C-alpha cells in the first residue's frame, strides 16, 4: 500500500515524530512499512508537520497523491523538499541548554559546555528514531548546510520561550540564501 494522508478517525494514535497525540479528525500522515513480525505491512502515523520535517521523502509521495485539501500544503512541501536536499535536517529532534559538559559536538568535535545551546539529533533506521548525539546550535550551518532551522527547533522543543528563541537565532547567525 502507498503512504497516505487522511483524517484521523480517533484521537488515539501517537505521532512517531514528536510522541504527541494526533487529534481526532486532524489530517495525519501514514508511512507504510513492512511488518517485521508478520506478513504484510504496518503504518506509522505522524502529524503532518512532523512528517514533513522528519520523513520528507515518503511525505512528499503522499502529498503528491492525496485528494485531501491541506491548509498549508505549500509550506509543508517546501520544508520537506529542504529536508531531502539537506539530508541531515530530518535528524533535528529539538534544542536545549546542555545540562552537562559531557557531550561532544558531532560537527566540530569539541565538547559542548554546560548551558551551551545544543540541538538533539536522531538517526532513522528500520522504522525507528534512535538518539544520535548533539551539535552546537552555532555549528548548525556547518552541520546541516543551512541555518534556516528555527521552525524545526520549535516543533520538537515546544517549550522554548521567546527569549530562548532570540538567543538561538543569534547563534544561528543571519539567514543566507541557500
Ligand atoms: Zn508529531
Ligand atoms: Zn560544534
Amino acid at each position: 500500500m502507498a503512504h497516505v494522508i487522511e483524517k484521523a478517525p480517533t484521537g488515539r494514535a501517537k505521532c512517531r515524530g514528536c510522541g504527541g497525540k494526533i487529534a481526532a479528525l486532524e489530517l495525519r500522515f501514514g508511512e507504510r512499512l513492512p511488518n517485521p513480525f508478520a506478513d504484510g505491512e504496518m503504518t506509522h502515523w505522524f502529524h503532518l508537520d512532523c512528517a514533513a520535517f522528519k520523513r520528507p521523502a515518503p511525505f512528499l509521495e503522499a502529498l503528491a497523491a492525496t485528494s485531501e485539501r491541506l491548509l498549508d500544503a505549500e509550506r509543508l512541501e517546501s520544508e520537506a523538499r529542504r529536508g531531502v536536499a539537506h539530508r541531515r535536517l530530518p535528524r533535528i529532534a529539538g534544542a536545549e541548554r546542555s545540562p552537562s559538559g559531557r557531550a561532544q559536538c558531532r560537527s566540530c568535535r569539541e565538547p559542548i559546555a554546560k548551558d551551551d545551546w545544543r540541538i538533539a539529533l536522531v538517526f532513522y533506521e528500520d522504522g525507528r528514531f534512535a538518539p544520535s548525539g548533539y551539535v552546537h546550535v552555532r555549528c548548525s550551518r556547518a552541520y546541516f548546510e543551512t541555518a534556516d532551522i528555527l521552525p524545526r527547533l520549535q516543533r520538537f522543543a515546544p517549550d522554548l520561550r521567546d527569549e530562548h528563541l532570540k538567543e538561538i537565532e543569534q547563534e544561528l547567525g543571519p539567514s543566507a540564501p541557500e
Side-chain angles (χ1 to χ4, degrees):
M1 276 197 297
H3 309 308
V4 66
I5 290 172
E6 61 163 43
K7 277 202 181 76
T10 71
R12 285 200 300 270
K14 270 196 180 173
C15 171
R16 295 264 167 174
C18 71
K21 285 259 171 78
I22 302 173
L25 302 183
E26 184 181 344
L27 284 176
R28 64 182 183 177
F29 164 72
E31 180 174 14
R32 314 284 195 199
L33 295 163
N35 187 336
F37 307 110
D39 284 344
E41 292 184 316
M42 58 184 182
T43 305
H44 283 174
W45 299 108
F46 293 80
H47 295 114
L48 295 184
D49 277 86
C50 294
F53 287 148
K54 281 191 163 167
R55 300 296 299 137
F59 175 74
L60 287 169
E61 283 177 31
L63 190 62
T66 191
S67 55
E68 296 285 353
R69 295 219 356 241
L70 280 66
L71 286 178
D72 45 3
E74 260 176 53
R75 177 183 62 83
L76 291 169
E77 180 176 352
S78 122
E79 287 289 7
R81 290 202 181 287
R82 296 182 61 246
V84 171
H86 304 292
R87 61 189 177 79
R88 288 172 168 168
L89 279 180
R91 297 180 187 173
I92 291 177
E96 62 183 9
R97 280 187 200 281
S98 184
S100 78
R102 287 195 299 272
Q104 189 196 44
C105 173
R106 297 200 59 158
S107 180
C108 71
R109 302 287 164 191
E110 299 289 324
I112 300 175
K114 184 173 185 314
D115 293 331
D116 266 8
W117 284 106
R118 69 182 187 183
I119 295 169
L121 305 173
V122 288
F123 192 73
Y124 183 84
E125 196 172 37
D126 298 333
R128 290 166 164 274
F129 294 98
S132 147
Y134 302 91
V135 289
H136 290 112
V137 164
R138 60 175 181 267
C139 290
S140 291
R141 195 182 302 277
Y143 187 76
F144 299 111
E145 308 169 321
T146 170
D148 184 4
I149 60 172
L150 219 49
R152 289 165 190 265
L153 300 184
Q154 285 178 282
R155 180 79 194 168
F156 299 115
D159 295 339
L160 291 175
R161 296 203 302 268
D162 284 351
E163 68 255 37
H164 300 148
L165 293 169
K166 281 208 186 90
E167 288 179 36
I168 289 171
E169 247 180 314
Q170 279 200 333
E171 288 199 20
L172 288 172
S175 294
E178 291 172 26

